[in-house]
Amino acid sequence: MGLFLYSKCFFVHVVLIFGFLGVHRVYASETSLTLDYYTSTCPTVFDVVRKEMECAVTSDPRNAAIIVRLHFHDCFIQGCDGSILLDDTFTLKGEKTATTNIHSLKGFELIDKVKNIAESECPGIVSCADILTIAARDAVILVGGPYWDVPVGRKDSVTASFELANTNLPTPDESFLSIISKFLYQGLSVTDMVALSGAHTIGMARCPSFRSRIYGDFRSTSIKNPISESYLSNLKSMCPPIGGGNNNITAMDYVTPYLFDNSFYQILLNGEGLLNSDQEMYSSIFGIETRDLVKKYAADPLAFFQQFSDSMVKMGNIINSESLINGEVRKNCRFVNT
């Protein structure tokens, strides 16, 4: 049972934090998401997405992590509805400039390119939300990760939520239990949290995201050896404690930064996780269940791949119920149809 043994107070805390948000979610089993949604209306869509992702990842492997992160942020704000792709207008405040997004999200032009091709082949058929979800799957495959089937049939939202972008997304220095509560709120389990965090095996982080970690408890969690000391020294050289270096980035998996594998978890076992939020999964006193999962995925890459695939499908099935009623298929992913 692990973390679920702690107390009813924790779940009351979750309700108090998130009960007021007012975004209703339903899951794939309750909606029309299917594997064959585009079989008759746009049978080439999966090929279109795959070909464009192949070009993008071949030209720059970092594009894989960029698209996976974009999908994650989309789903955690108001469901996987493409709201993250909307630009600000006179009548709509988008999510791109939220504190949690402004310095961390890229890849919008790549999604635009895929959408334009899909529109030329199947006008008004394929949603931006589906394109992003399929692209995230293909991104993982292209850097060595697992395959999974992607249910499709999402609608694009006609709204965005700057406020939810600032409250729903986990942050690197957030408390361990608070991050767990954000996953639970989405209908995702502790197991899903640990598995989905494994995407950091191809992720990059800016200095402000790991500054408190490297000048905080990094030495107390890490194994004392020359490799670890050299790693920490390099991190400090690119990320000074005060001022400067904020735009410097480094890989969250310094062993195989462009390969989707389980070395991220092995780094956590060594106490060398770059982000506080990641290392807490192994080092936190509350991490009974998460610690065991980190050990499991560090030892068994196939178990990690299977759970990651299952958790990505589960996350991709988070639907904003309002988009089922009022949603649309945008012509341009950046703007609501007029």
Side-chain angles (χ1 to χ4, degrees), residues 238-250:
M238 72 169 64
C239 186
I242 301 174
N246 283 352
N247 290 323
N248 291 338
I249 62 172
T250 191

Side-chain angles (χ1 to χ4, degrees), residues 26-39 41 127 130 150-156 316-321 323-325 329:
V26 291
Y27 299 92
S29 60
E30 306 167 34
T31 72
S32 57
L33 296 188
T34 64
L35 298 178
D36 60 355
Y37 187 84
Y38 295 117
T39 298
T41 56
S127 68
D130 274 345
V150 178
V152 287
R154 298 165 188 80
K155 296 299 182 184
D156 295 321
N317 291 345
I318 302 171
I319 303 297
N320 177 356
S321 58
S323 72
L324 294 177
I325 302 170
V329 174

Side-chain angles (χ1 to χ4, degrees), residues 171-174 176 179 193-194 196-201 205 213 252-253 264-265 267-269 272-284 290 294:
T171 58
D173 292 323
E174 196 167 351
F176 182 63
I179 291 174
M193 181 190 77
V194 177
L196 291 171
S197 296
H200 286 173
T201 189
R213 166 77 172 136
M252 287 185 257
D253 174 358
F264 166 77
Y265 298 104
I267 289 170
L268 298 186
L269 292 185
E272 297 174 343
L274 184 65
L275 306 182
N276 273 318
S277 54
D278 286 340
Q279 190 58 48
E280 285 288 275
M281 292 191 297
Y282 183 71
S283 301
S284 173
T290 58
V294 169

